[in-house]
Amino acid sequence: MNLTRRRKLLSGLVVFLCAAAVAAALVPLFFVFAYVLQRGFSSLNWDFFTKMPKPVGESGGGMANAMLGTVYLIGIASAVAIPVGIIAGVYLSEYGTKPFGTLVRFTADVLNGVPSIVIGIFAYGLAVLPVKHFSALAGGLALGFMMIPIITRTTEELLNLVPGSLREGSLALGATRARAAFSVMMPAALPGIITGILVALARIAGETAPLLFTAFNNRFMSTRLDQPISSLPVQVFTYAVSPYDDWHRQAWAGALVLVAFIFIFSVMARVVTRRLERMHRT
Amino acid sequence: MKATRFLLAAALGAALALPAATGLGQTVQINGAGATFPYPIYSKWFSEYNKMHPDVEINYQSIGSGGGIRQLSNQTVFFGATDGPMTSEQQFAAPGAILHLPTVLGAVVPIYNIPGVDTQLKFSGKVLAEIIMGKITKWNDARIAALNPGAKLPATDITVAHRSDGSGTTYILVDFLSKVSPDFKSTVGVATSVNWPVGVGGKGNEGVAGLVKQTPGSIGYVELIYARQNKIDYGAVQNMNGEFVSATLDSVTAAAAAATKAMPKDFRVSITNAPGAGVYPISSFTWLLFYESPSDKKRSRIMMDFMKWALTDGQKFAAELGYAPLPQDIAVLAMAALKRISI
Amino acid sequence: MKTPSSRRSADDRGFRLGTGFFALLVVLLVTGIFWELFRNSHLSIAKFGFRFWTGKVWDPVSGEFGALPFIWGTLYSSLLAMLISTPIALGIAIFLSELSPKVLRTPLAFLTELLAAIPSIVYGLWGVFVLVPIVRQLQVHTPEWMRKIPLFAGPPLGVGMLSAALILSVMVIPFTSSVAREVLRAVPYTQREAAYALGATRWEAIQAALRFGRTGILGAVILGFGRAVGETMAVTMVIGNNPQVTASLFKPQHTMAAVIANEFTEAADDLYLSALIEIGLVLFIITLVINALSRLLIWSVTREVKVKTSRPVGTMAFKAPKAAA
């Protein structure tokens, strides 16, 4: 076989292998999703969404408190992370070339890579021990800390993509830098920033480890900041490692709801990105 | 984009406004944590109590006896629960005096999953200790066969499943094994968390039950109810009298008989390897832990009211969940001890 | 009298300080984490010193704590995950950025990113009920002669290093592949054009791009490694939670994140808790080093590109924004 034939065959082989890699990645995706769907779907009923857990030995009950708890924790996390993340992102895009900007960028990346369990330990020392009780606030803080780097970096990158002429134009018209940043640049970059927020939400919605010793868990419905609160991931975990079949069924249903939740965030993020691309392509 | 921004803000606002909207300020929530061993009966009790007093929500999380003790000492929970009594060091480290109140009796059973074997196996204390230490490695070992003539023991390797978290169930087992095997006592020792010579770790009674159920050739230890609920085979254990006894309500109650006559004032007593006929040797009390002088008097009052109910009416739920109710004399002593807690 | 320009510069200074404060919060957060971890592990550091990193025994009863089995388990499982996932992740990155027909690109990219959306706990559940029995069957059918090799020694439990490595590799794939895609996208198209102009096949042109971005791709791989190191829930459900140092794929082992999750709420005495927090500190330092290294490598590629192809300020040239990280 001459050299050209061999090179062409090799190239074809590589193309095939790369396509196979994509297929290989999609196999577990479908596998897992189908399994969760199959195990969980039959246990989804009205009770599941509206009732509280029942004690051992009594069948039925639901995960209403866990679902509400997850929404609540996400709310607290967002309230903490969105302002800090966006404003820090604005700083980086305006003044990011200075050494301090590099430091901030670097620490944001480091924070992104910190394992969630370590963040849990930190939140435990910060928000649980001093006040001597587990709380939704501590759990929300832990999740919020994890969201901050994603929002910061996305905000910075999106603001950098807005044409500099926009900023220059508004400055030329007499706006302060603050005005230019918040009233002109941000709205232009907003879809991307929202994408960043949605991505961050998808990231933390399924986190279990940092909640284990901050928000703890709660058999009852609770919306108080200073009490333990239930959450879907923790409740699913608790039920899953139990020996009761009824609880296993509910764990799968909870897992399905959790996956659907995160799926929706991811889809929304994608839709927003697509709209942004379309907006700027015209 | 305005719509999305509005939706996001609305969602955030709704989430934070919820506490005001739901008006949950009326109910009192009391947090407790600890043993997984009594979790089935405690969850039943707290649920029943909540039905009788809808404004009281007792939130109990089963994180292991070690966890209960630690979180109680940290005062991150109002009460704890444990199957292994607190050590002197732990009591010393706590910021106040803690009272152990016995609630029910339970049994730890050796569960196993051996394909082909469906009769109940007999274990002597020594053999059980050696299996757990990894000194007996195959099911058809002569020492096991000697106790079980007629059982078709395969040549499978034994996999030991133990707790990966700090556990009173562990405490009860190692307490028993240390009494019957000096070798075990010096190699492993007695605590809620030990350095296991061999085996796989599962989280909670639930985790161990799950491991054994799914791993052929494995042996583990769980509270009786977990074995029953999971329909896992469990063995009979030899008691001090030499009889091979299976865990039942009667055999567990018998184990408490000797203790009843000489119950120490702080209720910290071990009834493993108790003398007597028909006694199941791996039995134990399980305790709820309370500070004797808590600062939160309101919660203290509620919990004492709960305890009065649990020590009387609550006991009727014990049997159906696989626990033995407290012997009458001990329940009376416990009721009297409630007065030691300041309300 | 305040002139408009001096008022504006006062506002600008306020803006800079105000936003800078929030940026500082991020830095404070990270230093705060390090400080908290360090402070709360002083008991353990004082007692064990460097022995902590090399000690093999983890015995809460006698108060002897050595972190080596957990460090080993973490590094070994993550290394295996990296070995398994890297070829697949790179294949996906290459396919999506170079080979795929335009119409398939977005849906396929979306689907591979969905792998990252599945929460760890769900992977753990699936691992326990589906993967572990499969691995157990695999172990049961391993021929005797293979069992003699230390790499394959161990009872057929199903739970163990292999299950953990497999689950981790699935979880790491989307991270490595999306960052590798970004790196490949940053490589100027001129690299590939030059290769084609010389008569290269598709694979050879891709090689040119890979060679240009090789440091960045290495960074992507290391980033995936870092992700695997910190993974908790999925691993603790399938690894067997047995702290031992062994090269066997089949034996149950333990990781740093898993031991913290299992034992943190119940560490009944201060030394025990301190030892666990010190493990958290070790984990933090390891992920810090890994992330720093990978980011540096990735930046070196993207920065090189920016320098070479920097656009003058004020042009309307506007690239399509990157996909969500």
Side-chain angles (χ1 to χ4, degrees):
Chain A
M1 186 188 327
N2 69 11
L3 190 59
T4 315
R5 278 280 295 286
R6 195 158 358 132
R7 285 167 52 216
K8 284 220 173 107
L9 271 173
L10 182 61
S11 180
L13 180 67
V14 169
V15 171
F16 173 72
L17 284 177
C18 290
V22 175
L26 296 182
V27 162
L29 177 71
F30 284 122
F31 223 161
V32 172
F33 193 63
Y35 193 71
V36 175
L37 194 66
Q38 175 216 354
R39 292 288 292 255
F41 193 70
S42 48
S43 311
L44 282 181
N45 51 31
W46 188 242
D47 270 2
F48 183 79
F49 286 100
T50 53
K51 292 262 176 65
M52 234 61 75
K54 287 245 172 91
V56 174
E58 293 179 33
S59 70
M63 287 203 188
N65 57 340
M67 286 187 257
L68 188 70
T70 293
V71 169
Y72 198 63
L73 283 170
I74 290 180
I76 299 175
S78 304
V80 167
I82 292 179
V84 175
I86 290 184
I87 299 180
V90 167
Y91 177 84
L92 281 178
S93 83
E94 295 282 326
Y95 304 101
T97 43
K98 311 275 163 56
F100 181 62
T102 316
L103 177 67
V104 174
R105 212 173 284 122
F106 177 68
T107 48
D109 282 335
V110 165
L111 186 58
N112 202 20
V114 173
S116 55
I117 187 115
V118 173
I119 302 218
I121 299 180
F122 176 63
Y124 178 76
L126 189 72
V128 174
L129 274 187
V131 294
K132 298 205 185 297
H133 52 70
F134 297 107
S135 64
L137 180 64
L141 277 178
L143 293 180
F145 294 156
M146 293 173 65
M147 284 175 76
I148 288 177
I150 303 177
I151 299 179
T152 305
R153 292 292 263 133
T154 324
T155 305
E156 183 205 354
E157 282 167 18
L158 263 303
L159 282 174
N160 282 346
L161 282 173
V162 175
S165 54
L166 238 65
R167 181 193 293 124
E168 286 163 6
S170 52
L171 287 175
L173 286 171
T176 58
R177 284 192 89 159
R179 246 301 154 79
F182 287 111
S183 305
V184 178
M185 304 283 283
M186 271 252 282
L190 199 58
I193 294 177
I194 292 188
T195 308
I197 295 177
L198 289 168
V199 168
L201 286 177
R203 165 106 162 86
I204 56 141
E207 283 291 336
T208 319
L211 296 177
L212 289 175
F213 21 87
T214 48
F216 206 39
N217 198 357
N218 199 331
R219 215 197 133 287
F220 298 96
M221 183 77 80
S222 166
T223 47
R224 295 187 50 161
L225 272 180
D226 61 346
Q227 284 295 321
I229 195 169
S230 184
S231 59
L232 260 184
V234 173
Q235 192 75 315
V236 166
F237 177 62
T238 311
Y239 276 19
V241 298
S242 77
Y244 317 115
D245 284 330
D246 192 56
W247 281 18
H248 285 168
R249 281 191 313 102
Q250 292 192 33
W252 285 110
L256 182 59
V257 171
L258 193 57
V259 169
F261 212 38
I262 298 177
F263 185 75
I264 291 174
F265 278 142
S266 306
V267 166
M268 278 168 73
R270 266 280 159 176
V271 162
V272 169
T273 314
R274 193 92 68 81
R275 291 188 67 178
L276 171 68
E277 281 179 357
R278 219 182 313 139
M279 221 170 75
H280 285 274
R281 209 180 301 143
T282 52
Chain B
M1 298 306 125
K2 278 225 173 88
T4 336
R5 209 188 327 182
F6 174 71
L7 278 170
L8 219 69
L12 218 67
L16 290 174
L18 222 48
T22 47
L24 283 179
Q26 308 297 81
T27 54
V28 174
Q29 237 193 41
I30 307 179
N31 297 309
T36 55
F37 178 87
Y39 183 68
I41 180 110
Y42 287 172
S43 70
K44 184 76 177 191
W45 277 353
F46 298 135
S47 167
E48 290 297 316
Y49 194 76
N50 178 247
K51 282 190 202 147
M52 298 187 310
H53 303 93
D55 56 334
V56 173
E57 293 179 344
I58 306 176
N59 173 31
Y60 178 79
Q61 296 298 325
S62 66
I63 57 174
S65 297
I69 296 172
R70 163 49 78 162
Q71 298 309 320
L72 184 66
S73 295
N74 280 352
Q75 298 180 280
T76 45
V77 291
F78 186 77
F79 67 93
T82 178
D83 330 307
M86 288 173 78
T87 63
S88 326
E89 290 102 354
Q90 288 167 338
Q91 289 187 302
F92 192 66
I98 294 180
L99 184 62
H100 289 64
L101 285 171
T103 50
V104 287
L105 289 162
V108 174
V109 295
I111 48 173
Y112 51 83
N113 173 356
I114 315 172
V117 172
D118 48 7
T119 54
Q120 188 181 43
L121 290 184
K122 299 190 175 71
F123 296 98
S124 72
K126 262 216 152 60
V127 163
L128 201 54
E130 299 196 326
I131 295 177
I132 305 273
M133 282 194 286
K135 299 216 166 130
I136 299 183
T137 54
K138 286 199 185 291
W139 279 110
N140 62 352
D141 189 287
R143 288 165 279 189
I144 305 179
L147 298 168
N148 297 283
K152 288 191 281 297
L153 295 166
T156 332
D157 289 326
I158 304 183
T159 307
V160 176
H162 56 75
R163 292 288 287 271
S164 61
D165 48 339
S167 149
T169 315
T170 299
Y171 185 92
I172 300 169
L173 178 74
V174 298
D175 183 51
F176 166 70
L177 292 177
S178 295
K179 284 185 184 168
V180 298
S181 163
D183 196 13
F184 190 90
K185 186 168 184 184
S186 54
T187 318
V188 180
V190 183
T192 54
S193 233
V194 298
N195 186 15
W196 299 97
V198 294
V200 218
K203 193 160 168 58
N205 265 297
E206 310 95 350
V208 173
L211 270 174
V212 171
K213 198 169 185 195
Q214 287 161 8
T215 313
S218 57
I219 185 171
Y221 58 94
V222 290
E223 207 280 319
L224 178 62
I225 183 67
Y226 289 91
R228 282 222 210 131
Q229 287 268 352
N230 256 356
K231 303 200 192 25
I232 314 181
D233 296 326
Y234 57 94
V237 184
Q238 192 175 35
N239 66 13
M240 217 189 220
N241 266 26
E243 307 156 324
F244 289 95
V245 183
S246 189
T248 63
L249 243 50
D250 294 329
S251 59
V252 170
T253 313
T260 315
K261 302 193 194 75
M263 178 61 84
K265 207 168 145 254
D266 62 357
F267 297 105
R268 288 163 63 218
V269 65
S270 157
I271 55 172
T272 53
N273 208 30
V279 162
Y280 181 69
I282 323 183
S283 309
S284 174
F285 282 106
T286 184
W287 296 267
L288 281 175
L289 303 169
F290 294 96
Y291 279 105
E292 284 187 9
S293 318
S295 48
D296 189 336
K297 298 288 188 262
K298 181 163 90 158
R299 287 191 163 80
S300 192
R301 238 170 294 143
I302 297 174
M303 285 315 293
M304 287 308 106
D305 184 63
F306 165 78
M307 283 306 297
K308 288 201 191 96
W309 175 83
L311 289 170
T312 50
D313 288 331
Q315 296 288 310
K316 66 175 186 273
F317 292 107
E320 82 202 21
L321 286 171
Y323 300 90
L326 289 177
Q328 187 67 340
D329 302 333
I330 298 187
V332 166
L333 283 172
M335 286 284 267
L338 292 181
K339 298 196 186 66
R340 302 229 291 262
I341 305 211
S342 61
I343 51 174
Chain C
M1 185 185 73
K2 271 215 172 126
T3 65
S5 60
S6 70
R7 201 185 316 133
R8 186 147 13 105
S9 55
D11 284 332
D12 286 348
R13 218 176 317 132
F15 174 67
R16 183 174 176 163
L17 287 175
T19 52
F21 170 70
F22 282 87
L24 184 65
L25 279 181
V26 179
V27 179
L28 286 179
L29 193 54
V30 174
T31 35
I33 294 177
F34 178 74
W35 178 243
E36 267 288 314
L37 289 173
F38 187 71
R39 194 169 60 96
N40 289 326
S41 51
H42 74 273
L43 265 178
S44 171
I45 295 176
K47 179 160 184 204
F48 301 110
F50 271 117
R51 272 196 300 131
F52 191 70
W53 294 66
T54 54
K56 273 193 188 178
V57 175
W58 184 263
D59 189 353
V61 179
S62 61
E64 186 63 38
F65 296 107
L68 188 64
F70 308 106
I71 299 176
W72 166 260
T74 304
L75 293 179
Y76 192 25
S77 59
S78 306
L79 197 70
L80 287 174
M82 203 172 72
L83 285 174
I84 302 174
S85 69
T86 301
I88 302 179
L90 286 183
I92 296 174
I94 295 172
F95 187 82
L96 287 178
S97 67
E98 314 275 334
L99 300 171
S100 135
K102 263 233 158 69
V103 67
L104 277 183
R105 192 163 297 175
T106 321
L108 282 180
F110 177 59
L111 283 177
T112 51
E113 275 159 26
L114 270 190
L115 272 179
I118 299 178
S120 175
I121 175 81
V122 176
Y123 273 120
L125 284 179
W126 177 77
V128 168
F129 288 102
V130 177
L131 188 65
V132 163
I134 295 178
V135 171
R136 189 182 300 130
Q137 284 308 307
L138 200 78
Q139 290 180 257
V140 163
H141 290 112
T142 316
E144 265 311 307
W145 63 267
M146 266 184 98
R147 292 253 198 102
K148 300 260 174 47
I149 313 174
L151 193 64
F152 299 108
L157 295 169
V159 293
M161 180 54 65
L162 185 61
S163 298
L166 286 173
I167 288 235
L168 277 178
S169 56
V170 172
M171 298 174 78
V172 160
I173 286 173
F175 289 92
T176 311
S177 84
S178 84
V179 178
R181 261 182 77 207
E182 290 310 312
V183 171
L184 283 176
R185 257 210 274 210
V187 173
Y189 201 66
T190 46
Q191 293 288 318
R192 303 172 186 79
E193 281 173 354
Y196 283 130
L198 290 169
T201 60
R202 291 200 83 169
W203 169 227
E204 285 156 359
I206 294 173
Q207 276 180 315
L210 285 176
R211 201 167 299 127
F212 186 89
R214 65 185 176 284
T215 39
I217 292 185
L218 182 63
V221 171
I222 296 179
L223 201 71
F225 180 73
R227 178 79 178 80
V229 161
E231 187 40 62
T232 317
M233 302 310 292
V235 171
T236 186
M237 290 172 87
V238 303
I239 199 168
N241 301 326
N242 182 336
Q244 53 175 330
V245 181
T246 165
S248 165
L249 287 174
F250 290 159
K251 288 202 179 140
Q253 284 159 70
H254 221 328
T255 65
M256 292 188 272
V259 71
I260 297 173
N262 269 315
E263 302 185 12
F264 192 79
T265 40
E266 8 168 294
D269 64 82
D270 286 335
L271 180 64
Y272 192 179
L273 190 68
S274 173
L276 282 171
I277 295 182
E278 199 183 339
I279 290 196
L281 182 66
V282 171
L283 190 56
F284 180 75
I285 294 175
I286 292 181
T287 47
L288 174 72
V289 167
I290 292 173
N291 273 288
L293 188 64
S294 82
R295 286 295 165 182
L296 279 171
L297 291 171
I298 295 170
W299 283 0
S300 74
V301 172
T302 48
R303 201 174 350 169
E304 214 179 302
V305 173
K306 279 211 192 96
V307 166
K308 285 182 182 154
T309 65
S310 57
R311 294 172 283 120
V313 171
T315 62
M316 289 298 278
F318 185 75
K319 284 207 297 248
K322 290 197 270 212

